[in-house]
Amino acid sequence: MARFTAALKRVAPWAAQNADGAIALLLAVVIGVLGIMPDKIVPTDVQTQLVNAATLVIMALVATALLRDRVRQAPVEETITSGALAQLPVRLSRLEEIEALVHGTRKALDALQLVRVLGSKQEIAQMHAEARKDTTRWSFKGGTGTYLRAVTLPECVAAARREKRHLVVRVEVIDPSNVEVCETYAHYRRSLSDSPDATGETWTTDRVRKESYATILAAFWYRQRYGLLDIEVGLSASMTTFRWDLSATRLIMTVEDPNRAMTALAGTFYYENCDTELRLSFEQARRVPMDMYKKAPLSDEPTIEEVQDLFGRIGVPLPKAYDGRDVVDIARKALRAVDPYGETRPGALRRHVT
């Protein structure tokens, strides 16, 4: 009896909250029991009447339960609709902002990871080799373009010729006719070291001018020999302490220390901004009329007269004080430049200039 009472106490609260369901369940059990009782106890017509009546009552109770549940759910639905659902667009907007922030942060971190500092001549030379590999474009901005003439230009043109592909080169160097900026650059280089550099020469104003003249001459020489080369040369009225070399795949920025440089891959924040910087700087430089290459042909071994005629035609005349030996020196620097990183590079373009 105690157990029954305890069970009844446990069931009573549930039955009170779900009276309609409990009554329907009880009726279903009672009618089910009556339906299986013998006809002698409960006649068949009485069973049928009881089943029909109980079915109607059960259906009424079920309908009542459904209506009650709808009434209970209405406030909840209203709360959800007016509350959480109303705020859903705002929350989704915040979620998109968070995702954009995470994406931007990840991109910035990736960009920082792809900016590397190079710490040796060998590593810098290796990065230049990787930048030259299969590139279709090259942009340079710096002092006089010694490494450009010694390595970059001949090797890029040679690779393009082998593969018969188009090559676009843009070069910006110090204006050799601007004596003031040439003096400034020479003074800067001497202030770093009075000793000869890897080329075996010391920096003077005259050397700066000849190196820049040599870069111009080299541009015309290569343009005349490879029809798929589009090369532009700009002359700057100001000097820079950096040298930028930018290919289709990476950027390399060097300084006067031959063992220090920085590189970044294409697509990174640093690469894209340096590309923009080089474009804008080149637009402000004085352009060399490269279309004159047809009117001033250069021999495989440029003569003194050919070199003088070329510079006269393009509006960058050589100083009157220059004699034949100075012109030969410029031609030698143009086609037989010494690699400033000290590597010996044999090649077909290392010719004696007459």
Side-chain angles (χ1 to χ4, degrees):
M1 187 66 180
R3 291 181 179 179
F4 176 76
T5 304
L8 185 62
K9 289 181 178 180
R10 288 195 300 269
V11 173
W14 177 86
Q17 293 179 358
N18 302 276
D20 45 7
I23 295 172
L25 178 62
L26 181 61
L27 285 174
V29 172
V30 172
I31 296 302
V33 172
L34 292 175
I36 63 175
M37 293 183 70
D39 294 342
K40 295 180 179 181
I41 300 176
V42 181
T44 302
D45 56 345
V46 175
Q47 291 181 1
T48 303
Q49 292 178 2
L50 288 174
V51 170
N52 292 337
T55 300
L56 293 175
V57 173
I58 290 172
M59 291 179 63
L61 291 173
V62 171
T64 302
L66 291 173
L67 292 174
R68 182 196 62 189
D69 289 342
R70 289 185 178 181
V71 172
R72 291 178 178 177
Q73 291 176 1
V76 177
E77 293 178 353
E78 183 180 358
T79 301
I80 294 175
T81 304
S82 61
L85 291 180
Q87 296 178 358
L88 185 58
V90 178
R91 293 181 178 180
L92 289 176
S93 177
R94 291 179 179 175
L95 182 60
E96 291 178 356
E97 293 178 0
I98 293 174
E99 290 179 350
L101 179 61
V102 171
H103 178 72
T105 303
R106 184 183 296 113
K107 187 175 180 180
L109 291 175
D110 291 342
L112 287 175
Q113 291 174 353
L114 293 176
V115 176
R116 289 180 51 197
V117 175
L118 309 177
S120 69
K121 292 181 180 181
Q122 294 74 19
E123 194 174 11
I124 295 172
Q126 179 62 31
M127 287 299 105
H128 275 279
E130 293 182 9
R132 291 191 300 268
K133 185 179 180 181
D134 300 326
T135 190
T136 57
R137 58 181 288 238
W138 194 281
S139 295
F140 171 82
K141 177 183 177 182
T144 59
T146 305
Y147 186 81
L148 179 80
R149 284 178 277 111
V151 181
T152 304
L153 194 54
E155 295 202 0
C156 284
V157 171
R161 180 182 285 111
R162 284 194 303 270
E163 300 172 12
K164 298 179 175 58
R165 56 176 166 80
H166 186 217
L167 177 64
V168 178
V169 178
R170 187 170 57 211
V171 179
E172 182 180 346
V173 293
I174 290 174
D175 188 345
S177 62
N178 189 325
V179 179
E180 183 178 355
V181 69
C182 291
E183 289 178 348
T184 302
Y185 185 75
H187 176 73
Y188 169 71
R189 295 297 298 267
R190 287 197 308 272
S191 67
L192 299 179
S193 175
D194 287 332
S195 302
D197 58 16
T199 66
E201 299 182 65
T202 56
W203 283 98
T204 63
T205 302
D206 184 61
R207 180 190 172 186
V208 174
R209 302 186 73 184
K210 287 181 178 178
E211 297 282 356
S212 288
Y213 280 123
T215 299
I216 299 171
L217 178 61
F220 277 95
W221 195 89
Y222 285 104
R223 178 65 183 89
Q224 292 177 4
R225 277 153 182 78
Y226 187 53
L228 297 180
L229 171 63
D230 287 340
I231 186 167
E232 296 180 280
V233 179
L235 304 179
S236 177
S238 61
M239 61 155 283
T240 175
T241 60
F242 298 106
R243 289 186 295 271
W244 288 270
D245 285 278
L246 186 142
S247 73
T249 58
R250 70 171 59 242
L251 162 78
I252 303 171
M253 188 179 75
T254 54
V255 292
E256 301 310 329
D257 185 347
N259 294 301
R260 301 290 288 179
M262 187 161 57
T263 183
L265 295 178
T268 61
F269 175 80
Y270 189 74
Y271 176 96
E272 297 299 335
N273 279 271
C274 285
D275 189 15
T276 302
E277 168 67 20
L278 295 182
R279 289 176 181 272
L280 293 177
S281 179
F282 188 80
E283 290 178 359
Q284 299 175 65
R286 180 163 73 101
R287 300 291 184 88
V288 174
M290 294 300 301
D291 56 341
M292 297 293 292
Y293 74 95
K294 294 181 179 179
K295 298 182 180 180
L298 297 169
S299 304
D300 288 346
E301 308 287 348
T303 64
I304 294 174
E305 292 74 16
E306 289 174 345
V307 174
Q308 291 174 331
D309 180 60
L310 170 68
F311 284 108
R313 287 178 179 273
I314 65 175
V316 190
L318 296 175
K320 295 180 179 180
Y322 279 12
D323 56 19
R325 184 174 298 179
D326 294 311
V327 177
V328 169
D329 194 22
I330 292 173
R332 177 184 58 81
K333 290 177 180 293
L335 303 181
R336 301 177 62 195
V338 178
D339 184 352
Y341 291 105
E343 296 184 7
T344 302
R345 296 176 177 269
L349 298 178
R350 307 300 190 266
R351 299 180 172 89
H352 294 287
V353 183
T354 60

